[in-house]
Amino acid sequence: MKVLDEKTYNHVELNNEVTQRDETGFYKLEKDLEALEVFMEEVEAKTIHFDSELERLHYLVDNDFYYDLFKEYSETALQDIIDHADAIEFKFKSYMAASKFFKDYTLKTNDKKQYLEDYRQHVVIVSLYLAKGNIETAKRFITSMMEQRYQPATPTFLNAGRARRGEMVSCFLLEVDDSLNSINYIDSTAKQLSKIGGGVAINLSKLRARGEAIKGIEGVAKGVLPVAKSLEGGFSYADQLGQRPGAGAVYLNIFHYDLPEFLDTKKVNADEDIRLSTISTGLVVPSKFFELARDNKPFSLFAPHTVEREYGMALDDMDMDEMYDQLVANDNVKKREYDARDMLNTIAQTQLQSGYPYLMFKDNANKVHPLGDIGQIKISNLCTEIFQLQETSEINDYGTEDVIKRDISCNLGSMNIANVMDSGKVKETVHEGIEALTLVSDDTSIANAPGVKKANDELHSVGLGAMNLHGYLAKNKIAYESSEARDFANIFFMMLNFHSIEKSMEIAKERGVTFKDFERSDYATGKYFERYIKEDITPESDKVAELFQHIHIPTKEDWAELGQKVEENGLYHAYRLAIAPTQSISYVQNATSSVMPIVDMIERRTYGNSETFYPMPFLSKETMWYYKSAFNTDQMKLIDMIATIQQHIDQGISTILYVNSDISTRELAKYYIYAHHKGLKSLYYTRNKLLSVEECTSCAV
């Protein structure tokens, strides 16, 4: 093995020279490629080599690194697949892409000092595992991933094919009922899920408020905060084998009596007894709240136990448009009154201090929910892109059988928009993505979370998303804030929707299975397809028309035909699309994150005691003008972009607001109101330049 020395392997120093200017005043981007070349030399020196690829595979299986793939594939088949992978050209496009892959994803020796696979070999084992012995499927997955059109989520990309692995799904959503049995059950389930690498979001909205009665004795209930604190402690304890801290979020309905104290948990001056320092917080916000703020009316918070006692129904399950005035008028319902606009400002103030709470717009989500007659969307996940129906399990005393109902798991993957468009393979990539996600769903069975298992078995939900929107726009000299950008997004995500339905229908036809209660969905009745059948969605600008000139855009006739096929064959997946933050894996793809605008033309990331600089993809003297920072982007235009995409996405989009530190709470509150008005289902973090938030890694696809 070559002796490592600083002079030979000075990739960090070379990468750091990127920010220096050349004689023209532009960045020395060539230094990034020089750093990449030197880094790959180091990788080569630290890699264990074998005489043949089959020898390597046998070694890794025999030594408990890979699962026993020889039970599914013959050596002849494996050699065929290996030759297929070798024929596809691949090179990392940036120093960050390579360093991120080898730091976080590649298989290493047990002492972590040497590499046992390169990118190609990693893609092959992931594909072999997902394909379950099907040679042609494995080849399709390899092609899609080697061309960097489709990218599985971090949990899948990291764990698939390994003998010693965590789960391949990203995160989970649980709902707790107002009983100690349920609280204990959820506490235990959350720890089990955190242990296997999942981020866990929990809806606390059904818990009785502080000071409510227990068994008729007034003033004894402790409220939601002690439960939240207990959950936070659990996530700290069950920390995924010490590899990374557990990740959790707690959601509360904005009409819950404990709202002010819940908001206080994220204030910088909060008492340590109530402060939630490592768990995320989110608010479930029905449209009624915005109506009260708009009309400058008082805003009442209700004690949920008194509501349930009066109406036999949980506060969180009520339609507040229908019930709010009744609750206010009912003297038997315990309540306290605030100014709605003041509360909006308080939320904005808390966000500016901490980035929290997330905002989940409940009625926006349920208004367009194709499964509205089957169940209600209650909360979202840690990254606010998952929106699926959820039910409350009944956890009974010992000796009485529990009634387990459906919770939620997130099974994610993303398409690289630039590579998909440049290849022209939109339909193929969507189909491959849905197929890969389906195989992950088939392979997932989490016995320690029976509600999650039940939902996965019955609904087969997945979440295909996208990344590199800003990168692709900049490459084609389209400004992110422009109408042309929204025109492109409208067409692309309509196509994503079409082809994902198409593939889900094909899987349902092939297997003879639909998701449970399909016949009660808007897909079965045809209602979902009505807007697409009424008029063609076509490019409005010549520039966007040119980008799609060699790609077939589904017409209203195509949509009508698809609707007919869905009516005949059903859909396999209750949910198909969700756009996650794609933080980690977008580096490997050399892509801009998700559908958000970039923060910096050259991003700075600190790893250990060194800094890595990441120039945006396609950055040049010509494209730099199209890489406007998110902090300088009109946030109304950002919301317009997300609203354009959202109309084609059956779940949600992880949406970050970027604001300057001098923004007023009133102005920030206007963004909330506008986002709600435009039909967004959620807002994730609010970030300012002075605020550093520990972003969610559970959905970092």
Side-chain angles (χ1 to χ4, degrees):
M1 181 181 288
K2 187 189 273 188
V3 177
L4 305 186
D5 63 79
E6 290 182 11
K7 187 176 179 182
T8 306
Y9 301 109
N10 60 338
H11 44 81
V12 174
E13 292 87 342
L14 283 167
N15 171 257
N16 286 185
E17 289 179 33
V18 165
T19 56
Q20 296 177 10
R21 307 280 181 155
D22 61 19
E23 60 277 4
T24 68
F26 192 62
Y27 301 108
K28 293 184 177 180
L29 298 182
E30 71 279 1
K31 292 294 180 181
D32 189 65
L33 296 178
E34 288 178 30
L36 171 60
E37 188 177 340
V38 173
F39 178 73
M40 294 308 295
E41 287 177 16
E42 180 178 322
V43 166
E44 177 69 16
K46 294 171 75 173
T47 298
I48 295 177
H49 296 281
F50 297 83
D51 291 337
S52 73
E53 188 58 18
L54 285 173
E55 183 193 340
R56 189 186 75 89
L57 290 174
H58 274 292
Y59 173 85
L60 294 175
V61 170
D62 293 344
N63 287 275
D64 204 33
F65 287 101
Y66 283 172
Y67 85 110
D68 192 353
L69 52 100
F70 296 99
K71 287 182 178 177
E72 294 180 337
Y73 302 89
S74 68
E75 289 197 357
T76 305
L78 285 168
Q79 191 59 58
D80 181 31
I81 291 167
I82 290 162
D83 292 343
H84 174 81
D86 287 344
I88 303 170
E89 188 179 342
F90 175 80
K91 279 187 177 179
F92 286 108
K93 294 183 175 65
S94 68
Y95 173 71
M96 174 65 94
S99 61
K100 186 71 177 174
F101 172 75
F102 284 101
K103 176 180 177 288
D104 290 348
Y105 293 99
T106 197
L107 184 68
K108 303 178 185 71
T109 53
N110 290 329
D111 62 5
K112 308 297 184 190
K113 291 182 178 179
Q114 291 177 291
Y115 303 114
L116 290 165
E117 60 183 16
D118 59 19
Y119 186 82
R120 189 183 311 273
Q121 292 161 336
H122 185 82
V123 164
V124 167
I125 190 63
V126 170
S127 301
L128 289 171
Y129 184 82
L130 293 179
K132 297 291 180 260
N134 188 311
I135 298 167
E136 292 309 310
T137 301
K139 286 181 178 179
R140 279 202 311 278
F141 289 167
I142 287 167
T143 304
S144 194
M145 284 189 253
M146 289 295 293
E147 293 177 355
Q148 294 202 312
R149 292 182 284 109
Y150 174 70
Q151 176 62 56
T154 288
T156 305
F157 197 55
L158 182 64
N159 291 309
R162 294 194 178 181
R164 294 166 283 178
R165 66 172 181 86
E167 283 295 333
M168 293 189 292
V169 291
S170 303
C171 60
F172 307 90
L173 288 75
L174 308 174
E175 181 158 75
V176 61
D177 203 8
D178 187 32
S179 72
L180 192 58
N181 285 350
S182 182
I183 292 168
N184 288 337
Y185 168 78
I186 293 297
D187 188 67
S188 172
T189 304
K191 286 193 185 79
Q192 293 285 356
L193 294 171
S194 181
K195 178 187 75 175
I196 60 175
V200 188
I202 299 151
N203 186 10
L204 303 181
S205 301
K206 284 186 168 62
L207 295 181
R208 65 192 72 192
R210 185 167 59 89
E212 285 203 83
I214 299 177
K215 293 185 176 180
I217 303 170
E218 295 288 343
V220 293
K222 302 296 191 295
V224 301
L225 294 196
V227 177
K229 287 289 286 185
S230 174
L231 288 165
E232 182 177 53
F235 291 126
S236 300
Y237 179 75
D239 64 352
Q240 301 149 52
L241 300 173
Q243 294 177 36
R244 69 179 186 188
V250 286
Y251 279 83
L252 192 71
N253 194 299
I254 200 167
F255 289 100
H256 193 288
Y257 195 87
D258 286 352
L259 171 69
E261 291 80 9
F262 186 74
L263 289 174
D264 285 345
T265 62
K266 285 296 182 183
K267 289 184 175 176
V268 289
N269 58 351
D271 191 284
E272 280 305 313
D273 290 341
I274 66 159
R275 183 171 172 78
L276 297 174
S277 54
T278 61
I279 198 170
S280 304
T281 58
L283 292 181
V284 178
V285 190
S287 297
K288 187 68 182 180
F289 172 75
F290 287 104
E291 182 190 309
L292 295 169
R294 182 196 67 202
D295 298 341
N296 202 18
K297 288 183 176 179
F299 162 55
S300 290
L301 306 179
F302 307 105
H305 183 60
T306 64
V307 173
E308 179 118 29
R309 202 165 54 195
E310 279 294 298
Y311 297 94
M313 186 180 186
L315 173 70
D316 191 49
D317 295 337
M318 288 178 170
D319 182 336
M320 294 307 288
D321 286 337
E322 289 181 9
M323 295 299 298
Y324 180 80
D325 291 337
Q326 285 190 52
L327 295 173
V328 170
N330 191 334
D331 291 337
N332 292 330
V333 173
K334 185 179 177 182
K335 60 187 77 70
R336 49 178 170 169
E337 193 177 278
Y338 290 84
D339 183 285
R341 293 185 180 180
D342 284 350
M343 185 58 70
L344 204 54
N345 285 330
T346 301
I347 293 166
Q349 189 178 39
T350 308
Q351 274 209 335
L352 289 174
Q353 287 183 11
S354 65
Y356 302 98
Y358 311 147
L359 299 177
M360 182 269 188
F361 304 134
K362 186 178 182 180
D363 291 331
N364 280 3
N366 282 287
K367 190 165 52 182
V368 295
H369 184 208
L371 278 64
D373 288 342
I374 305 171
Q376 187 184 132
I377 298 166
K378 307 283 190 71
I379 58 169
S380 188
N381 63 321
L382 276 78
C383 304
T384 71
E385 81 277 9
I386 297 300
F387 290 83
Q388 299 174 19
L389 67 86
Q390 195 167 15
E391 300 156 331
T392 313
S393 296
E394 296 172 23
I395 309 302
N396 296 308
D397 292 333
Y398 183 76
T400 304
E401 193 172 347
D402 299 331
V403 181
I404 300 299
K405 297 185 181 180
R406 291 176 291 206
D407 284 307
I408 299 167
S409 58
C410 323
N411 174 8
L412 302 168
S414 285
M415 297 162 47
N416 185 327
I417 294 172
N419 294 342
V420 169
M421 287 297 296
D422 290 349
S423 68
K425 297 178 180 177
V426 179
K427 175 180 177 176
E428 295 89 339
T429 309
V430 175
H431 280 213
E432 287 152 4
I434 293 292
E435 187 179 6
L437 290 166
T438 304
L439 290 163
V440 172
S441 175
D442 293 345
D443 197 65
T444 300
S445 180
I446 301 169
N448 289 329
V452 169
K453 184 180 185 305
K454 180 180 174 68
N456 188 61
D457 292 346
E458 293 180 353
L459 302 179
H460 324 124
S461 301
V462 300
L464 180 62
M467 66 178 97
N468 215 6
L469 175 61
H470 198 170
Y472 182 71
L473 293 173
K475 180 186 181 185
N476 290 283
K477 300 179 181 176
I478 299 172
Y480 185 92
E481 296 165 293
S482 67
S483 59
E484 282 183 336
R486 293 190 293 279
D487 186 21
F488 169 78
N490 189 38
I491 303 295
F492 183 87
F493 286 98
M494 179 272 284
M495 292 175 69
L496 172 59
N497 191 21
F498 181 93
H499 292 303
S500 67
I501 293 172
E502 181 181 56
K503 185 61 180 177
S504 185
M505 178 274 298
E506 289 175 5
I507 294 172
K509 184 180 180 180
E510 180 189 313
R511 299 189 179 192
V513 176
T514 68
F515 67 81
K516 187 175 170 57
D517 297 322
F518 162 77
E519 63 282 356
R520 294 167 57 193
S521 71
D522 290 353
Y523 301 112
T525 64
K527 183 181 174 184
Y528 184 83
F529 299 96
E530 288 174 0
R531 65 168 293 236
Y532 291 110
I533 295 170
K534 282 179 183 173
E535 59 178 304
D536 281 324
I537 298 174
T538 56
E540 293 178 356
S541 63
D542 293 342
K543 182 80 175 253
V544 172
E546 190 180 331
L547 295 176
F548 287 98
Q549 62 180 331
H550 301 302
I551 303 170
H552 175 69
I553 300 171
T555 63
K556 61 184 181 182
E557 289 79 17
D558 293 330
W559 275 102
E561 185 184 349
L562 180 61
Q564 188 62 42
K565 287 179 178 176
V566 168
E567 188 182 337
E568 292 168 8
N569 302 301
L571 291 177
Y572 187 71
H573 311 87
Y575 302 93
R576 297 162 286 106
L577 306 174
I579 301 179
T582 72
Q583 288 145 8
S584 177
I585 212 72
S586 60
Y587 293 132
V588 179
Q589 288 271 330
N590 198 53
T592 60
S593 291
S594 187
V595 292
M596 293 287 108
I598 65 137
V599 173
D600 295 299
M601 272 190 286
I602 297 181
E603 190 178 315
R604 173 185 300 195
R605 285 275 169 168
T606 302
Y607 292 114
N609 57 1
S610 66
E611 283 188 327
T612 301
F613 291 89
Y614 172 51
M616 291 299 104
F618 318 114
L619 181 61
S620 68
K621 291 175 185 175
E622 289 75 38
T623 61
M624 64 178 289
W625 309 107
Y626 299 91
Y627 270 131
K628 189 175 180 181
S629 170
F631 289 108
N632 298 325
T633 298
D634 182 340
Q635 297 303 292
M636 297 293 194
K637 297 287 189 191
L638 188 156
I639 291 166
D640 288 341
M641 172 65 87
I642 302 304
T644 299
I645 299 169
Q646 181 62 77
Q647 60 188 326
H648 306 298
I649 305 296
D650 63 335
Q651 297 190 72
I653 303 167
S654 188
T655 306
I656 299 171
L657 292 179
Y658 299 88
V659 300
N660 292 306
S661 304
D662 59 354
I663 189 173
S664 67
T665 55
R666 186 170 178 160
E667 194 175 350
L668 181 54
K670 281 183 182 175
Y671 294 149
Y672 304 157
I673 294 164
Y674 188 66
H676 175 265
H677 169 71
K678 293 291 290 188
L680 268 64
K681 296 180 183 180
S682 66
L683 290 172
Y684 187 27
Y685 289 113
T686 293
R687 291 185 56 178
N688 64 58
K689 288 181 178 178
L690 299 178
L691 176 65
S692 176
V693 292
E694 190 59 44
E695 295 182 0
C696 170
T697 56
S698 62
C699 302
V701 296

